[in-house]
Every structure is written in C-alpha cells, then in structure tokens.
Amino acid sequence: MPIPRMSMALTAGVLTGTTLVATVCAVGGAAASQPDDARGGNTSAPVLPARFTQQKIQWTACGADVTAKAVPGAECGWVKVPVDYAAPDGKTVELRVARVRAKDPSRRLGSLLYNPGGPGAGGAADVADGNWQAGPQARSRYDLVGFDPRGTAGSGQIKCPDGVAQQPENPPRTEAQAEKAFAEATKRGQACQKASGAVFAHMDSVSVARDLDVLRTVLGDAKLNYTGFSYGTFLGQQYMKLFPDKVGRMVLDSVVNPAADMQQVARRDAKTSDDAMRRYAQNLVARGDDRLGTTAGEILRRVTGFAKRLERKPLRGSDGETFTDATLSMYLDTAVTDKATWKPLTKALVAALHGDGAAFERFDKETAGDGGGEKPTPQEQKAEEDESASMPAVLCLDSPSAPKSPKEMLDTADAFAKQSPLFGRSLAWQMIDCATWPIAPTGAAEPIKASGAAPVLLVSYTNDTQTPLANAQEVLRQLGHSSLLVRKGHGHAAYGSENPSTCTDRAVDRYLVGGKLPDKVANCPR
C-alpha cells in the first residue's frame, strides 16, 4: 500500500532513518517531472523493436519469491523492457508481474494495472496475495495486474550494500559537521551506483511510465486502465503526459502534485506537523489536562523550549542511547498525527520534561500494541530494505531541488528551523541522500496538463497528512477536465482501503466499470 507522508515526499532516508515516523512516497506531493517530449505528448517517443511490443508473458503459478501465500488463480510472469529508452537495443531489465483474472470473464473489460506507491514499493505481491483487490465491481470485470517497477523488488532491485544516506542523528550545525555528513552520504550513494548496474541511472518516473505502456501493449489492452496510490498518482500523471491518446480509465488516489518540488513539499510537511501539534495541544486544553500547560500556546512554548534544551544537553535512555531534539521531533511527528497515541505521548512528554530519558522507550512499548509487538518477518524486513534503496534512486532523478553543498544544506536547515522550530531542521536534513546522489537529476517541478488525455478520477481524504487534499485540488485545476472524489475523514488511500467506504468504492467502481465520472467535485460522508 502507499507509504507514509515524509518518505513519499522526500527521500528514502526518511523511511529508513525514522522508523518511529510512520511516514514514504509517502509523499505530500513531490517527485518532479521531466518536460513533455518535445512538448507534444508522445510524438518523439522511441519506436520500440517488436521483441518488446510483441513479447508473450509466460504465466505460471506465483512462487515463494513473490508471496508465501498466493490467492487461488494468481499467476506470475516477466516482461522485458529497455533499460534506456533512448537506446532500446542496449541492456534490458525484466519486470515481474502478477495477475488475478476477472471473476466474470464473460464480461471482462481488460486489465487494471496497479501501483501501490513509494516510490520503491512493488505491486506484484499485493495482487498475488490478495492484499489489494480493488472494489467488488472492478474486481469482477478486470484482470488485476500488479508489477514491480524497474529497480524494485523482483525487477532488478537496486542494491545499496552500505545502505542509503540517513538523516544524521543530530542534524549538523557547523560546516565541519555538515561536510562529514555529506562525505558519508556521498560514499553510500556511490556504493549503490556501483552495486546496482545500468538501471541505476534510469530509475526516473518517465522511464517507469514508458514501462507501463509496454505492459499495456503486451497485455493486449488498447488503453491503459490504471489505479495508482500516492506516488502511483505521480506515475499515472507522467503516463498521461507521454501517452495521452492511450489513457483509459485511471484512478489517482492520494494525489501527488507534480508542480511542487522537494523543498516546497518539505516546507508543507513542516506546516502540516505544526498544525497537528497545535491540534494536539488544543485537545489537551479541551480535556482539562494541564500537565503540559493551561493553554495551547503555553504547551507549544514548553515543548519547543524542551527541544532547545535537548539540543544543548540530550537525555540518556536506559539503553545508553541519547534522546536529542531530533529524536523528539521524530516522535512528535508520528504521534501528533494519530489521536490514538495522544494519551501515551502526553505521559511520555511529562516524564521526559522531568528528566526521564527512558520515557519514550516506554512509549514505544505502550504503542506497539497495534502491531501486536511482533517483529517483521524476514520477507517484510527485506521488502522494507529494498524499498529504502529504490526510493532515492527514483526521487533523486525526478526532483532537482535538494541542496547541493554542505553550506547550502546548513542554510536551508536554518531557514526551515526558523519556520518550524520543532520539525524544520530534521525535515531539511532528510534531503541529504538526494543532496549527495551520484546521478544528476533529470526532472523539473511543473504541472502536467495532459492535453488530449481522457478525463480521470482523482480521489482524496479530507484529512490526509501524507498527500493533502490541497494536492488533489491543485491537480484537478492543472488537468482542467477530470473529477475529484473526496472521502470525509482521516486516512491515506481511500479506495478499497482496510477501512472501506461503500460510497467511495461504489463511485470508483462505477467509473472503472461504466466509465461514469462523478461530479466535478463529489463528496462521500465519513
């Protein structure tokens, strides 16, 4: 499924460096786009040799390398695509695909391709094991097809033997500290490049969108029918730009705004976190809980002052680890966006303010109940590691706006911290992998008009801290001829979710099956 806000919006350093922050793709809106090919849709797209466009997928039962437990009838196979579309006779990469056939084959409408977000998340396993099944009507009429994008999961996975660059545990304040962080991050990025091979330089979303068209052709569909979540919405927009005449029924759920660059998204994320922190403080006051202060303003000032003290003198936990202002920032960014954690967060903050360095260790144990406190399986752990490697390989090519020197990063972090004392500096330093990535970016932050493409359906929650409703509203204006379905409530990925909405699923299925879009802006109740 789509991954959380900061990781989507920024870089893989967020995902792997902030396991406390359930945030990827993740991602506000943020990967930027390349300019239209000759500003004319796909007029200058390369003509592919028949060995790509006329290949046949050899479907077989999905093995344990895809999922430990496939749903009945799940099939898997491979589709070969060029690594570099400008040189299609050169090296190739095989994309892993999975399919579950339509339940009503006599009324089959074709294939419905699926992308879960990220970037860096594979979609083959989600289809093969039934983790994603679409709405009941679409499930009946379409073959569901998931694929692992190039360099992801089973499709020539990007390899980073030393891991990707992490946000420094204590964000640098001096040029010497920043230079050291840059040197370490540069070394990690170069190791990724060396271990990953030719695909490393061609992980951009434009190339993945071209892969989508090869998949469409090989599957035998005249148009691309597609459902993408979070980063998958950005990928869908790239396809609309490149192949407007091939756009079928397309659902873009939890929308990324391609006109926002990485720094703009980071600033928006800081504001989102500040707003959530303010709501948390207001809730304490409304409940009469004055342990942190008697007014929302007093609570915010006290917590901000605590962060400044931690910058000078961190606490030390029972395990010997230091609890710094950056650690506090990461805990707060997760907890204040989830009302279920507000009570244990308050208890931890009160204890920490009184010098208890182990307060948030207890917070971890108390809030681990949602996942049963179970450790991830080896397969889940590998998937997370793979995603953390693939994510910057995409985002750092797509977006050109990361700071490019230690001095620029320090200045950017100072500016972010001035805007948001609690969250700004940490958010700025989460851009370090793209700041030091060994391949220069090829993208640009700009709106995608998709002139000549069929109208599509945008979907968003009213309150989505990862890809805000404002993203979908802006993309609706950019496209000019599509529809927006708004589901009331808090969440991310509204269609076919674990918390289903009959209104949402019926409206999306009505479009996917019958081609009927809702009103320009339609609403579903909570």
Side-chain angles (χ1 to χ4, degrees), residues 510-521:
R510 191 178 301 120
Y511 163 65
L512 285 172
V513 172
K516 181 175 174 56
L517 284 166
D519 294 338
K520 184 74 172 179
V521 178

Side-chain angles (χ1 to χ4, degrees), residues 297-448:
E298 182 184 354
I299 293 169
L300 294 174
R301 287 192 295 273
R302 190 175 182 192
V303 175
T304 301
F306 179 45
K308 290 181 179 178
R309 293 199 303 275
L310 288 172
E311 178 186 337
R312 298 189 299 270
K313 187 179 180 181
L315 297 177
R316 190 166 296 278
S318 61
D319 57 1
E321 294 292 325
T322 56
F323 187 87
T324 68
D325 58 322
T327 315
L328 176 66
S329 176
M330 290 187 289
Y331 271 106
L332 290 176
D333 192 75
T334 301
V336 296
T337 59
D338 182 0
K339 289 184 178 180
T341 66
W342 284 3
K343 287 185 178 180
L345 171 64
T346 304
K347 184 165 63 175
L349 278 172
V350 171
L353 279 161
H354 285 87
D356 186 348
F360 279 89
E361 295 173 33
R362 297 192 296 275
F363 172 87
D364 279 340
K365 293 177 181 178
E366 187 171 350
T367 57
D370 291 343
E374 298 177 0
K375 293 183 178 180
T377 65
Q379 292 84 357
E380 291 170 337
Q381 183 68 32
K382 185 178 186 306
E384 183 174 330
E385 292 171 356
D386 286 350
E387 188 168 348
S388 73
S390 300
M391 187 183 301
V394 179
L395 291 181
C396 299
L397 286 181
D398 282 348
S399 184
S401 63
K404 296 305 181 186
S405 69
K407 177 64 165 60
E408 186 181 350
M409 179 65 88
L410 286 172
D411 291 344
T412 300
D414 286 344
F416 276 39
K418 185 175 181 180
Q419 172 193 327
S420 173
L422 281 175
F423 304 106
R425 193 175 303 278
S426 292
L427 279 167
W429 275 96
Q430 286 170 356
M431 293 186 282
I432 189 170
D433 48 6
C434 287
T436 57
W437 204 244
I439 303 293
T442 56
E446 61 183 17
I448 291 176

Side-chain angles (χ1 to χ4, degrees), residues 109-152:
L109 292 171
S111 303
L112 179 63
L113 272 76
Y114 155 79
N115 181 275
D126 283 348
V127 168
D129 63 17
N131 186 50
W132 186 74
Q133 299 187 32
Q137 297 303 314
R139 173 72 190 85
S140 178
R141 304 290 297 278
Y142 285 97
D143 294 344
L144 303 186
V145 179
F147 72 104
D148 294 343
R150 57 174 55 212
T152 297

Side-chain angles (χ1 to χ4, degrees), residues 27-71:
V27 128
S33 66
Q34 289 185 342
D36 286 353
D37 288 344
R39 299 294 175 189
N42 64 339
T43 55
S44 62
V47 177
L48 291 181
R51 63 192 178 99
F52 297 114
T53 59
Q54 296 180 18
Q55 61 187 302
K56 302 294 183 184
I57 303 176
Q58 301 300 314
W59 295 107
T60 59
C62 296
D65 60 325
V66 180
T67 178
K69 189 175 181 180
V71 297

